[in-house]
Amino acid sequence: MNTGDTAFVLVSTALVLLMTPGLAFFYGGMVRKKNVLSTIMHSWIIIGLISLQWILIGYTLAFGPDFHGIIGSLNWLGLNGVGAAPNPDYAATIPAIVFMAFQMMFAVITPALISGSFAERMRFPAFIIFTLLWATLIYDPLAHWVWGVGGFLRNLGALDFAGGNVVHISSGYSGLIVALVLGKRKGLGRDSMAPHHIPFTILGAGLLWFGWFGFNAGSALGANGLAGIALVNTNTAAAAAAIAWAVVERYHRGKSTVLGAASGAVAGLVAITPGAGFVTPLSSILIGFIGGVICYLTISVMKAKFGYDDALDAFGCHGIGGTWGALATGIFATKAINPAGANGLLYGNPSQLGIQALSVAATVAFAVIGSWILLKVIGLFTTLRVSEDQEAIGLDLSLHGEEAYPDFI
């Protein structure tokens, strides 16, 4: 066991935890002021829900001893046998309990990302049920497929350094399904849906960018050169995507907005996540720049054309950005950066791009079909969407009995 590696992953764990409150600000600023607390509540309550779910059953389903490449066994139920001793299958130089805690923060933020798609219209009890079931039946098996020893996508050779498939693609496409099942917000296209507090969103984007260093560099699971590469790639892709978004937005709309620059940075962070520990810094510029352009076009052009209400663009940013990042890893990956990885298309191995495409297809299919089934089953027992009156009043008052900005005389 290495004390430096352990300290680094402990700090990275705290950084990734900070991303979820950051996401709460990021999303909270983008909704109307009557829904800001309900939107923040989504991320906040998930920290509690999934922290408990992960310790009780989530970790063993995701990383427990393999069962036919699909799911982890129940051997580590309630963290049975997970303690101070390292598990060489996953991280040979840090305690198994620290690896578990680091992975817990990924499990926490992923369902919180989904909430951006259905903001301002989902009932709180239905949200709680969906979140717990989605984490257990979709996130945990998918994490095993990609990262668990014996997982079938891992055995296939799919590369996902820090969560392109597991976190971003799964949450983005699931969010789209929730948005489609719930339907559009009342008044969309007629009433103003403008963000009520852009500085909140910029603060959230800054916290996300900061925390993402723990997300990606921490996924090296040690204080080493690979962590340094991942950190530089993370910052570089975010910078490139922020610039790309600002340029394309100015060309398309006539002005570059601070909301756009922040959204672009997040798009770049998403895009680099699967390849952060497999590509060069120069490649990360291309991955970030192209990711910023693709996500902008998805959010500003495709969403309007098809008319779906992905309220805060979880699909446009995480689903599309994660898909591009996973495929880009199959193009730009090189063993010169990470000998434990693989060479991509540009380094003489075109088959890696095919493997990445297959892993994306499997992830999308599982997330889409699984989320749709969960919503339909939950809908048999409880109402998914708030009433028109509740939506008109605002979810802060109608669901939580609070106001973010009460009037004082």
Side-chain angles (χ1 to χ4, degrees), residues 142 146 153 156 158-159 165 169 326 354-364:
L142 185 57
V146 176
L153 289 178
L156 187 67
L159 299 178
N165 289 64
I169 296 175
I355 292 171
Q356 296 299 109
L358 183 59
S359 74
V360 169
T363 303
V364 170

Side-chain angles (χ1 to χ4, degrees), residues 198 202 241-246 249 256-267 292 296:
I198 290 177
I202 306 310
I243 298 300
W245 193 297
E249 187 177 37
S256 299
T257 65
V258 66
L259 178 62
S263 299
V266 173
Y296 175 83

Side-chain angles (χ1 to χ4, degrees), residues 136-395:
T136 305
L137 301 177
I138 296 179
Y139 180 87
D140 295 341
L142 185 57
H144 186 79
W145 294 3
V146 176
W147 290 332
V149 172
F152 83 92
L153 289 178
R154 174 171 172 159
N155 288 346
L156 187 67
L159 299 178
D160 186 0
F161 190 74
N165 289 64
V166 179
V167 175
H168 298 297
I169 296 175
S170 68
S171 62
Y173 283 88
S174 294
L176 177 63
I177 296 304
V178 182
L180 292 174
V181 170
L182 290 180
K184 301 177 185 179
R185 288 167 290 176
K186 299 300 180 185
L188 184 68
R190 183 187 70 239
D191 302 334
S192 173
M193 302 284 176
H196 89 284
H197 201 314
I198 290 177
F200 260 18
T201 297
I202 306 310
L203 171 64
L207 290 172
L208 286 168
W209 194 331
F210 177 68
W212 227 293
F213 293 129
F215 202 86
N216 287 356
S219 291
L221 298 174
N224 51 40
L226 183 59
I229 292 281
L231 185 146
V232 170
N233 285 342
T234 299
N235 193 71
T236 303
I243 298 300
W245 193 297
V247 169
V248 175
E249 187 177 37
R250 183 172 180 82
Y251 177 79
H252 183 230
R253 298 190 184 278
K255 291 183 173 65
S256 299
T257 65
V258 66
L259 178 62
S263 299
V266 173
L269 292 163
V270 170
I272 197 59
T273 293
F278 299 118
V279 306
T280 67
L282 288 180
S283 294
S284 72
I285 295 176
L286 287 174
I287 292 172
F289 195 91
I290 295 171
V293 173
I294 291 173
C295 290
Y296 175 83
L297 293 175
T298 300
I299 291 166
S300 297
V301 179
M302 191 175 89
K303 183 168 76 166
K305 182 176 181 180
F306 288 97
Y308 56 88
D309 188 14
D310 178 20
L312 309 180
D313 300 309
F315 169 70
C317 186
H318 298 276
I320 298 300
T323 298
W324 159 243
L327 297 176
T329 302
I331 299 172
F332 295 104
T334 170
K335 284 189 172 182
I337 293 295
N338 189 344
N343 288 323
L345 175 66
L346 295 184
Y347 294 87
N349 182 23
S351 65
Q352 188 61 42
L353 180 56
I355 292 171
Q356 296 299 109
L358 183 59
S359 74
V360 169
T363 303
V364 170
F366 185 53
V368 165
I369 296 170
S371 296
W372 186 84
I373 291 173
L374 286 179
L375 289 167
K376 291 302 180 182
V377 172
I378 295 168
L380 296 175
F381 299 96
T382 188
T383 305
L384 297 176
R385 182 171 177 145
V386 296
S387 68
E388 289 192 22
D389 287 343
Q390 289 174 318
E391 193 169 348
I393 293 168
L395 275 58

